[in-house]
Amino acid sequence: MQTNEDYVLRVLEDVGLLSGDQIANARIKLNGDGAVVDSLIREGVVSSDQISRSLAAQAHMDWIDLSAMVIPPDIIAQISAEDAHRFKVIPVGFGANGLVLAIGDPLDVDTIDSLNFLLQRDLELVCTSPQKIRDSLIKYYGTAEEAVDVLQHRLGDQIDLGLEIVEQTADVAEADAPIIRLVSMLIIEAHKLGASDIHLEPLDKKFRVRFRIDGVLQEMQAPPKRLQSAIISRLKIMTGSMSIAEKRLPQDGRIQVRIRKTPVDLRVSTIPTNHGESIVIRVLDKSRLVFGLPQLGFFSDDQEKFERLLRCPDGILLVTGPTGSGKTSTLYACLNYINKPDRKIITVEEPVEYQMAGINQVQVNTEVGMTFPIALRSILRQAPNVIMIGEIRDAETASIATNASLTGHLVFSTLHTNDAPAAVARLVDIGVPPFLVASSIRAIMAQRLVRRLCTHCKKAAALSETEMRALCIEPSQMKDAQVMGATGCEHCRRTGYRGRIGIFEIFLIDDEVRHMITKRASTFLLRRRARELGMRTLREDGVRKVLAGLTSPEEVISATITDAS
């Protein structure tokens, strides 16, 4: 009678993962003492994932990588911990045929029948490796200590060797304590997933953990509520400057760590809420910073136009957009482009997010009186060619910036406005005289970030009539279009997106526009003139990227919802 193991070995031999000689040698070596498949896995001849993929194909099931997924708590709640452990299954979502369950053994017909009988609901089964089922059972249904063990197993030796606190002022003698290991692994996991922020939020009955990945918050498996205070205290201790006794006032701190020898800055911010202190940790990894203009998402024509602006000897180049729209990354890419030995570049930032070789970077420190205006007055005496101001916030900073641009300096800065033409009105509202705005501004660029479709799983898609109307796409534009849609795979954590790309609106200031600014023309008239000069709106640039298959219509529509053109 053929056993399950005989069937598995035959399948692996049929698909070419094993040869008859390898199986025979393994049988001889074991001499009936142990499972042949387990022995081959231990020796590295075949992996657990390869076996489960092959069996899934034989059973006509989809295979998924549970370790690359973040399953929301409401999905996990569909199966009780007792049933999940009993049947060794993990709920992963809802499909067309009902609740999607991941199982580790597609040959276990008894378990499948029992699940259908017990749950009395429509089920859609997918396959994964048994080891990933075991890890996920502990991750989603186990205790905090068990979760630490699973993370340590998945991350290998990164807990001991991968994360090193560069500046540690507190006593960390108990370096192996579960809380210390849990916080370390939380940081490592966020870095591994490419998160820009870690949000630790105390709620009434849970301590929520969310990572911002590609601009979108994704909920992670939360540690027990009882560990909330210990985790917050540990993070404060790691900064070396925040008080663990002070829980009534906001605090800010900084942690410098090395993850796999890569220096990473963590900016920690706390604020008291109804259920405890909420913490946001910004993850700054210089190795992931985009320093090249092409990587920002420019098409060739916009990039050529932007590079011409960067070659201007003086004037102001403004980058506008809301928080999180990539303005700082764009400014750093600009500085990197013009950073040559014959140019002196000085920046004034709050804070200095990334250190760049060959550039003098000044950090604002209001506690000691080092404000933007004071720093700007001082650096003008340093005779720079290029000045970068992190943000124009007040009349004094704006006045110094405009005067600097009129005395032979090229000035880069950012402003918070919804579109490019609105930046003119914003500067006038701050208190800059219109004639100074008109004579100093060379160009204004508004930008947004949209998620880039995953290159591993995106597939051809058709635009609906609603999407074409929303994006104002004419049928003639579809002739050479390569519209793609999000699918989801293990490379993109089943989201369909991986990374982000910019969409841009470049407003060039010509003599007529300067005259209009001096005459205090409305933003509507400035925008109409900008369109006459060939300015594409944010939505129009987004449409080009949709038609090129770089992003999806949904991303562009949501990012440019205020674009009326």
Side-chain angles (χ1 to χ4, degrees), residues 320-361:
T320 75
T323 301
S325 59
K327 300 187 298 294
T328 301
S329 295
T330 298
L331 289 184
Y332 278 125
C334 293
L335 295 182
N336 186 62
Y337 180 82
I338 63 175
N339 187 12
K340 302 292 189 295
D342 60 345
R343 284 188 169 187
K344 180 161 184 173
I345 303 173
I346 303 182
T347 73
V348 184
E349 306 170 64
E350 185 186 10
V352 174
E353 294 192 358
Y354 297 99
Q355 296 181 3
M356 299 183 69
I359 294 177
N360 302 279
Q361 295 173 272

Side-chain angles (χ1 to χ4, degrees), residues 348 364 370-379 394-398 400:
V348 184
V364 169
M370 185 65 161
T371 61
F372 270 107
I374 289 174
L376 281 171
R377 288 194 200 96
S378 299
I379 68 174
D394 52 48
E396 194 173 6
T397 303
I400 296 171

